[in-house]
Amino acid sequence: MVPVPAWQSCHARLYVPSVVASFVVAMLRDIPLIPEQSSIHVTTQFVAFVSATDRVGCKIATASYPEGLSWRLSLVAFVRSLLLEVDPLPVQDVYLGICRGNPMGINPLWCRLRVQSTSSHLAIHSLLSTQTRYILLDQTTNMGDARDLTSPNGHPPLTSPEKPVLLFMTLNASGHTAGAAQIAKHLHFNRGYKDIYFIAGPRFQPLIESTGAKYIKNPFEYDVPKVQEGSTEGEAFFEGMKAVFGESIVPSYHVLRKTLEDIRVAHPEPRKILFVHEALSQGLLPYQYGCPLPKGYTSLPKTINWHTSIYTSSDPDFPPFGLGLKYDPTPENKAVWKTMHAGGKTMWKPLIEHYDQKLQELGSTKRFTDLPLDVAMTGGDVTVMATTASLEYPNVTKDPKKFRLVGGLPVRALDKNLVYPPWWEELTLNSALSDSDPAKKKVVFVTQGTIHRAYHELMIPVIQAMADREDVLVVATLGEKGEPNPLPEEETPRNVRMVDYFPYEAILPHADVFVSNAGYGGFMHGIMNGVPMVLAGLIADKGDVCQRAARAGVAVNLGVSNPSVEQVKEGIDTVLGDEKYRQRVKEIEEENVKADSLGQIESIIEELLSHE
């Protein structure tokens, strides 16, 4: 970027009378005069138009480059504002400002503005260029100081023509795909990444196409094998790992290879490509073990390894994965963990051999002898986790360049075409009541998740535990469209409202407690909606999620997968009866919102490509 002339720089602390401001702005771009009742609110290095109705829109006009510092905002040309058409409006202040190109022919500038309005704290977070047509403003907390006016981490911002082609790939499962789809949608519609490709399972095609990405079918489909009679939870876990992850290696390699080759033909060098690889989608794994590269490549594109669960490692500083052990890093416990990690390779041996066989079929030059979850955590150039330090164990980011905790993804806006269940008004009317109103009921939201839907383990005990509570409304989701009520109608208590499949983000704002089997996606939904939890799960990562949640103070960990009615009742009563759980989850919700996960992810994209 080339510094603009010094006369264009302006960093004074000013208050500009509205009539004068209207005239100056109109002169800048021939824009119709701003209403006289409006005002300009200016702080050092922050300039913002605030209208009487808080409809805000702005476009960079000039910028300066102080020696030794990053690009700073100098002057903002203001344009007519337009209320974002959202029905219903999900938050109080979401606005879309019209941008009319580049008013003074300056270089584009990465811009994060702190905007003070009369009703809330707003923030603009947009890459502005001649190809940017809109600025999205969303309700948020303080964006920080003037450093935020630069591209995060000080890397040069990417102008639209330089933006890379993005390729996403995810495992064919909701918890592994939904978050990546949210990232792709944000980058496409809000940040100007126009060329996005997304490899996912067939049932996610409508979701992927709604993000603006080009859908690529991942042909691998799986069924989690039924647990054989007499088998242990451990045996069932390893059979599931083989069927879901081991069998996906070959088809995932082939579809990724062909897609990369097709992208290179469509977008020849020097156009850059960045790969966002969901850590368990297995597309990257063969390349880590020397399988042939796609045609047209001397190395793989820069890769973000998007991890949708807890930190997993055979590092003896942490408890072994999958056992739900409490984090208590005494010297004695660490010695035990080290022994358990070493013995774990024996347990994992059949799966390791299965992985090795599949990789050899693809022409690997290196034998697979590692623990699969260690490899999943270390793929690509940087591993990104949608969480914060409060929800993980200490020192998981021993290598901060390799591992990044970026915070949970924002709560998604609801589909305007969402069909609500017939009892929905009852739930919303209850939420509208004052907390002091004796008619207001506590809302217990329970789900068994979307994959391991064994309703007798958790959902039915919750329904039974709350059956006689006139002051409680139980909302239950079954996790699969078309799934029937697992209880006969005559056995379904009067205070239960059930739906087959419904978005968590619709129900959680009305809930007082969230009961789940500790799937990581559901857990983070609870965090990002600020709802305290009761968790019951052990298989796969669920026991470890429970331990982290209890350690953070946001949940009661029941310590089992199939709790008794009495255990469930005690857990729910504990959360409802002690305000500390709600206070703590609200604190961690705020911590995750402030982390700005989507902003950090784009920053990492810039960082990786700036080092090519």
Side-chain angles (χ1 to χ4, degrees):
M1 289 188 176
V2 180
V4 299
W7 64 268
Q8 294 178 347
S9 179
C10 172
H11 294 308
R13 185 182 294 272
L14 303 170
Y15 180 80
V16 184
S18 59
V19 176
V20 176
S22 298
F23 176 75
V24 172
V25 172
M27 290 292 290
L28 277 173
R29 284 293 292 163
D30 235 8
I31 300 171
L33 291 180
I34 298 170
E36 288 188 4
Q37 67 266 31
S38 303
S39 65
I40 298 291
H41 178 85
V42 183
T43 61
T44 305
Q45 297 168 340
F46 294 91
V47 188
F49 166 61
V50 182
S51 73
T53 58
D54 283 322
R55 298 185 180 188
V56 184
C58 72
K59 176 69 182 180
I60 290 178
T62 63
S64 64
Y65 190 74
E67 184 176 355
L69 299 175
S70 301
W71 279 80
R72 299 299 174 96
L73 180 67
S74 290
L75 180 64
V76 178
F78 300 100
V79 299
R80 282 182 286 181
S81 56
L82 176 69
L83 185 63
L84 179 64
E85 295 180 7
V86 177
D87 186 22
L89 199 63
V91 295
Q92 183 177 357
D93 297 295
V94 178
Y95 302 100
L96 196 65
I98 305 174
C99 296
R100 296 184 171 184
N102 198 329
M104 299 182 73
I106 63 162
N107 288 315
L109 175 66
W110 175 284
C111 172
R112 288 185 181 181
L113 286 181
R114 182 166 51 190
V115 181
Q116 301 281 357
S117 81
T118 55
S119 62
S120 73
H121 206 93
L122 302 176
I124 303 168
H125 182 190
S126 180
L127 182 65
L128 302 178
S129 74
T130 55
Q131 296 189 16
T132 302
R133 298 193 61 189
Y134 301 106
I135 303 173
L136 181 65
L137 293 87
D138 29 86
Q139 190 173 24
T140 183
T141 52
N142 189 343
M143 291 293 288
D145 58 19
R147 182 189 64 79
D148 285 336
L149 298 176
T150 70
S151 173
N153 298 327
H155 300 290
L158 298 169
T159 59
S160 290
E162 295 173 338
K163 287 185 177 180
V165 176
L166 299 182
L167 171 60
F168 287 76
M169 183 173 188
T170 60
L171 181 73
N172 187 16
S174 179
H176 295 256
T177 301
Q182 184 179 358
I183 296 166
K185 186 173 185 176
H186 167 76
L187 292 173
H188 180 77
F189 288 110
N190 299 339
R191 311 298 298 139
Y193 288 74
K194 300 306 179 187
D195 297 310
I196 302 180
Y197 297 77
F198 203 121
I199 302 170
R203 63 192 176 109
F204 297 107
Q205 182 172 353
L207 171 65
I208 301 311
E209 291 177 343
S210 75
T211 70
K214 181 180 179 180
Y215 170 73
I216 308 293
K217 179 182 177 180
N218 186 342
F220 176 70
E221 296 276 7
Y222 66 87
D223 288 312
V224 177
K226 295 186 180 298
V227 177
Q228 298 298 315
E229 185 176 350
S231 64
T232 65
E233 279 196 345
E235 290 169 339
F237 169 72
F238 284 112
E239 284 303 309
M241 289 284 287
K242 182 184 292 186
V244 176
F245 303 114
E247 291 299 319
S248 70
I249 292 172
V250 173
S252 296
Y253 170 76
H254 287 305
V255 70
L256 175 59
R257 178 175 175 146
K258 183 179 186 305
T259 303
L260 284 170
E261 290 173 351
D262 291 346
I263 289 174
R264 182 46 80 206
V265 171
H267 304 280
E269 291 186 289
R271 187 73 184 277
K272 293 181 178 179
I273 301 169
L274 185 127
F275 182 28
V276 181
H277 170 263
E278 187 270 310
L280 292 174
S281 65
Q282 305 295 56
L284 185 62
L285 180 67
Y287 295 111
Q288 293 174 264
Y289 287 82
C291 292
L293 288 168
K295 295 175 184 178
Y297 294 83
T298 57
S299 63
L300 281 183
K302 292 290 186 180
T303 300
I304 292 175
N305 193 42
W306 172 246
H307 187 55
T308 58
S309 183
I310 59 167
Y311 178 80
T312 61
S313 172
S314 56
D315 185 334
D317 283 347
F318 304 99
F321 171 83
L323 300 178
L325 298 178
K326 184 177 180 180
Y327 180 75
D328 184 14
T330 63
E332 294 78 13
N333 281 343
K334 284 187 176 183
V336 172
W337 295 344
K338 184 176 181 179
T339 301
M340 293 176 74
H341 280 300
K345 262 204 166 181
T346 303
M347 295 173 56
W348 286 83
K349 186 177 179 182
L351 188 62
I352 291 171
E353 291 175 346
H354 185 69
Y355 272 44
D356 185 53
Q357 176 191 339
K358 295 297 179 181
L359 291 171
Q360 287 187 65
E361 290 176 18
L362 296 173
S364 62
T365 58
K366 177 183 175 184
R367 300 302 296 265
F368 189 90
T369 59
D370 304 298
L371 288 172
L373 293 179
D374 280 1
V375 177
M377 285 299 301
T378 56
D381 296 281
V382 58
T383 294
V384 173
M385 298 171 61
T387 188
T388 54
S390 295
L391 298 173
E392 262 298 346
Y393 296 150
N395 301 319
V396 298
T397 54
K398 291 180 179 180
D399 182 355
K401 290 185 177 181
K402 180 65 179 176
F403 295 98
R404 313 286 178 88
L405 308 184
V406 300
L409 293 174
V411 176
R412 294 187 293 262
L414 297 176
D415 185 345
K416 63 182 180 181
N417 297 317
L418 181 65
V419 177
Y420 292 84
W423 44 261
W424 187 255
E425 187 177 9
E426 178 186 7
L427 185 63
T428 57
L429 290 175
N430 182 73
S431 295
L433 296 175
S434 167
D435 288 342
S436 59
D437 191 325
K440 186 169 187 177
K441 298 181 179 181
K442 296 293 185 181
V443 175
V444 176
F445 172 35
V446 58
T447 181
Q448 195 73 50
T450 57
I451 295 180
H452 187 68
R453 300 189 309 276
Y455 304 118
H456 66 279
E457 288 189 354
L458 181 61
M459 180 177 290
I460 291 175
V462 169
I463 290 172
Q464 293 172 341
M466 298 289 109
D468 298 328
R469 294 284 295 269
E470 295 293 333
D471 62 330
V472 167
L473 194 64
V474 177
V475 177
T477 61
L478 301 175
E480 182 71 20
K481 289 182 179 180
E483 191 81 1
N485 185 343
L487 288 173
E489 186 174 347
E490 64 273 13
E491 294 181 22
T492 304
R494 292 174 54 195
N495 66 345
V496 172
R497 306 293 177 265
M498 193 172 292
V499 61
D500 55 358
Y501 186 88
F502 207 67
Y504 292 175
E505 50 264 43
I507 299 171
L508 282 167
H510 305 285
D512 295 285
V513 59
F514 180 28
V515 187
S516 88
N517 66 349
Y520 198 77
F523 168 64
M524 288 306 299
H525 271 88
I527 293 295
M528 299 309 294
N529 283 276
V531 181
M533 290 165 269
V534 174
L535 301 178
L538 287 179
I539 197 168
D541 60 352
K542 293 176 173 58
D544 299 313
V545 173
C546 291
Q547 288 291 351
R548 284 162 170 79
R551 183 175 181 273
V554 300
V556 168
N557 175 15
L558 298 183
V560 294
S561 293
N562 52 340
S564 65
V565 171
E566 291 72 22
Q567 286 174 305
V568 167
K569 183 179 184 303
E570 182 179 353
I572 293 173
D573 287 344
T574 298
V575 171
L576 292 177
D578 195 334
E579 188 62 22
K580 72 178 183 181
Y581 291 98
R582 180 164 293 275
Q583 290 174 352
R584 181 57 177 154
V585 78
K586 288 294 184 183
E587 291 171 2
I588 296 184
E589 175 194 10
E590 183 179 0
E591 174 185 283
N592 277 265
V593 170
K594 283 184 175 180
D596 183 22
S597 57
L598 294 175
Q600 286 201 61
I601 289 166
E602 188 174 12
S603 170
I604 293 168
I605 291 173
E606 294 180 354
E607 175 188 337
L608 291 176
L609 295 181
S610 70
H611 292 160
E612 276 199 332

